[in-house]
Amino acid sequence: MGLFDRFKKEPPLNKEEKAIQVITQMLRAFHAKEYEKAMTYVDESEENDLTELFERVDATLADNGFDRIDEYGTPCNFHPQYEYSQLSIYEFNDNSGFAADYDMTSHSELVDLTLQLKFIYTNRGLKTVFLGIDPS
């Protein structure tokens, strides 16, 4: 490895890689029930009352017999088994960015919660916005 190789810029992440990077970090914090920490991985939030939102998440989990959100990459069990993608990415029509929806699981079972983010292209890269967690 040469001296200049140390200063090579990493290739930019594509939109799916960027979404997965942010979702992975957020889900790790959700799994640890460190909800406030999850918000450090986004640039802003469109959700006004985060305390109420996370109380609803915990209540939804408890109502369905679950205790915590799985981390990204936890295998998902489907009955019957079928092909399914937990991550959906939607490019905006005006090419200003894209949205990502991630169907969350607990103990490898789908819960009725979808993490929603949007990514806006800026001169400095991507701006990450937390839209919320909606029932599926």
Side-chain angles (χ1 to χ4, degrees):
M1 177 161 100
L3 176 63
F4 291 104
D5 290 337
R6 292 185 193 171
F7 300 106
K8 284 184 180 177
K9 284 189 173 181
E10 292 294 320
L13 297 174
N14 70 34
K15 62 184 164 211
E16 185 172 343
E17 290 170 332
K18 178 61 177 177
I20 289 171
Q21 181 184 64
V22 173
I23 290 168
T24 298
Q25 294 168 322
M26 292 186 79
L27 290 177
R28 191 172 294 133
F30 290 162
H31 181 75
K33 297 214 179 236
E34 297 174 337
Y35 297 122
E36 298 81 22
K37 183 178 179 181
M39 295 298 100
T40 65
Y41 302 114
V42 297
D43 297 307
E44 67 181 55
S45 173
E46 289 190 2
E47 185 68 40
N48 292 328
D49 191 344
L50 292 172
T51 301
E52 180 183 325
L53 172 68
F54 294 127
E55 287 172 356
R56 283 186 286 144
V57 168
D58 283 339
T60 299
L61 290 172
D63 289 348
N64 291 291
F66 299 115
D67 60 345
R68 64 184 60 240
I69 297 295
D70 289 336
E71 292 187 42
Y72 183 83
T74 301
C76 192
N77 298 325
F78 296 101
H79 308 286
Q81 195 69 7
Y82 61 94
E83 190 172 322
Y84 176 78
S85 176
Q86 288 176 263
L87 177 62
S88 301
I89 296 178
Y90 310 95
E91 188 76 35
F92 297 148
N93 290 336
D94 63 2
N95 295 318
S96 63
F98 60 95
D101 290 348
Y102 183 82
D103 297 332
M104 296 189 287
T105 61
S106 181
H107 301 282
S108 296
E109 301 291 333
L110 278 175
V111 294
D112 291 330
L113 298 169
T114 301
L115 173 62
Q116 297 179 321
L117 302 165
K118 72 178 174 182
F119 299 83
I120 306 299
Y121 300 123
T122 70
N123 293 340
R124 295 182 171 177
L126 283 173
K127 176 180 170 182
T128 306
V129 181
F130 175 70
L131 299 176
I133 298 173
D134 281 344
S136 301

